Every structure is written in structure tokens, then in C-alpha cells.
Amino acid sequence: MRVRIVFTDIDGTLTINRRSYRLVLKAVEALRLLVDKGVIVSLVSSNALPIVVGLSRYIGLNGPVVGESGALVYSDEWGIVELTNMSARGVYLDLLEKYSEYVEDSWQNRFRLYEYALKMREKYLDRAGEIVDEMRRYVESSHEGYTLEYSGYAIHVHAKGVGKGVAVRYILDKLGISSSEALGIGDSVMDADFIKYLGYRAAVGGSDEELLRYCNIVAGSPSGFGLAEIISRVLNGMGDEDSSE
């Protein structure tokens, strides 16, 4: 198994489960082992960029990071790279007012530039799919060039063309690394946007069915425990027979 770079989601992939902010320490240790072996490790997230940069630094990772669902890339060498010039702030404020019964604001929006997030109110989680579909139809009919996605944690509002896949391909091109030498790890349908382009496409246990259809490596363990399992396979040189361009 030849992996030069690993891209991993954070929430539900490094944490103990989808509803927790607590990191799985085995997952952190596994990523540090990759860095020690000379593998580049990049966080790919819908979180605000300062959170992703801070987490990467404190874990001890070495790769560029992706924030705001692909709108922004950062590395110490490149600085902040903006992959869109269309801010969804006006769209998000419209949705926050129009759908206030169903959604609430995220404190992270104070630190966002292009992509904004809304949280589904707890009592409406069982109707999330229906409500998100309605909101998406409203956005695409009322705000040309914008759309929204639901990660299972938050509703993300952004310009069309913004995505984790765009950001990951930018990083690969910039570093001169082939997608066949890249591993992507995630748990949400939104992670399919970058994982589907890579040679090694991994999902932790309990991932969305929409993501699993793209993956050639699936962990038996959930969330961060699954990530540690996947990295163990990488470090042991396993999985060559599962990979494809």
C-alpha cells in the first residue's frame, strides 16, 4: 500500500462519535505515527478555518488543512488560499430568519468568510431530511449560485462549486502528488465529495450509506476507533488489493 498523503474529516471521524467533540486518543496517536513515517496528514472539515488550523497544530500534523467545506485552504507556506469569492453570508442570514422555527445559529459563523452553518433544532432532528430539502429548494430558487448541504451535524450554506473535493484536488496539484497515492477517511455523505477522487477511499464504521458506495476500505469500528483501525492497515502495508485509481 503506497500512501503519501492522508486526508481525514474531523467530526465523527476523529471524535468518539457523531455527537461528541472528544477526540479518540488512539486516532490522534495513529495520525502522529503517520507523520513520523513521513506521510503528509491533512484535516478536511466544514468547521471554521481557525478551528481546523488550531487542531492540526496541537495534534502535531504536517499537511495543509481545509476549512469551510472547501472554501478555504491553509498551510504555513501558502497562507490562506481562498477557493471562492462568493460569500454565503446574505443567504445564511435570510435562512436564519425565514426558518428560525427549525434552525439556530452557530457561534462559528463569527469566524467564517464564505461558507456558513446552521444547526437543526433538537426537536426537529427526526424531520431533518424533509426540512433540509425544503431549504435547499428555497435557496436555489431565491439565491442564484448558492446551495446547501446537510452533514448530519449542521446545515452548510455555500456557493455552488465550493466543496471538499475541489480543495483536496488543489492540495494534490500544489504538492505534485497523484490521487492514487492519497487516502481519504470520513463518515458523512459530504466526505464523498473528496474521498471519491482518491486511490484509497475509506469510511469509519457507522458511516452514511451514501459515502460507503464510494469506499474500498471500510472499518469495522466506529468513528475515531475506526480511523485508528484504518491507519493500522496503512502502517502495516495492507490493502493493496482493495485500491484503484
Side-chain angles (χ1 to χ4, degrees):
M1 189 176 193
R2 170 62 168 164
V3 174
R4 293 180 60 194
I5 187 166
V6 172
F7 297 99
T8 178
D9 175 51
I10 298 173
D11 296 298
T13 305
L14 285 179
T15 55
I16 62 172
N17 59 50
R18 287 189 161 200
R19 297 299 172 190
S20 176
Y21 294 112
R22 294 177 62 189
L23 298 176
V24 173
L25 296 184
K26 284 187 177 180
V28 172
E29 291 171 358
L31 295 180
R32 285 176 174 167
L33 280 173
L34 285 177
V35 172
D36 290 344
K37 296 288 186 179
V39 178
I40 299 169
V41 180
S42 292
L43 299 180
V44 182
S45 179
S46 295
N47 281 294
L49 188 65
I51 291 176
V52 192
V53 173
L55 185 59
S56 178
R57 287 181 172 177
Y58 282 102
I59 288 178
L61 306 183
N62 58 351
V65 304
V66 176
E68 294 191 23
S69 300
L72 298 171
V73 171
Y74 175 83
S75 79
D76 289 341
E77 180 181 356
W78 310 338
I80 297 175
V81 181
E82 302 173 22
L83 296 181
T84 182
N85 59 6
M86 294 176 62
S87 173
R89 180 171 175 78
V91 185
Y92 132 74
L93 290 173
D94 182 19
L95 290 173
L96 187 60
E97 180 179 359
K98 183 176 178 64
Y99 292 93
S100 59
E101 178 183 353
Y102 305 110
V103 300
E104 57 187 340
D105 205 357
S106 166
W107 66 268
Q108 288 193 32
N109 287 325
R110 290 174 176 262
F111 308 99
R112 293 178 181 270
L113 298 177
Y114 297 104
E115 187 254 33
Y116 290 81
L118 294 164
K119 296 171 63 179
M120 188 70 66
R121 295 189 186 276
E122 191 78 23
K123 64 180 179 179
Y124 291 110
L125 285 175
D126 60 341
R127 292 179 53 202
E130 166 197 342
I131 294 167
V132 168
D133 285 345
E134 179 186 335
M135 293 175 68
R136 184 183 296 111
R137 286 193 295 269
Y138 171 74
V139 168
E140 293 185 352
S141 64
S142 303
H143 298 277
E144 185 178 357
Y146 293 89
T147 189
L148 60 79
E149 297 177 275
Y150 183 53
S151 66
Y153 319 105
I155 299 166
H156 296 277
V157 187
H158 55 77
K160 292 180 177 179
V162 167
K164 292 180 177 181
V166 173
V168 164
R169 282 178 287 175
Y170 174 88
I171 291 170
L172 289 173
D173 288 345
K174 190 85 170 174
L175 295 177
I177 297 175
S178 167
S179 61
S180 65
E181 299 175 300
L183 164 66
I185 309 173
D187 74 305
S188 163
V189 61
M190 287 184 66
D191 298 323
D193 190 62
F194 75 91
I195 287 175
K196 65 185 179 183
Y197 296 109
L198 308 180
Y200 301 96
R201 305 178 294 279
V204 298
S207 294
D208 291 343
E209 287 294 329
E210 296 93 332
L211 172 63
L212 294 177
R213 70 180 61 158
Y214 294 101
C215 292
N216 49 29
I217 302 171
V218 179
S221 305
S223 301
F225 304 101
L227 180 139
E229 177 186 325
I230 292 163
I231 298 306
S232 177
R233 292 184 63 179
V234 175
L235 292 173
N236 289 324
M238 298 172 63
D240 297 84
E241 70 278 3
D242 295 325
S243 67
S244 61
E245 285 282 352

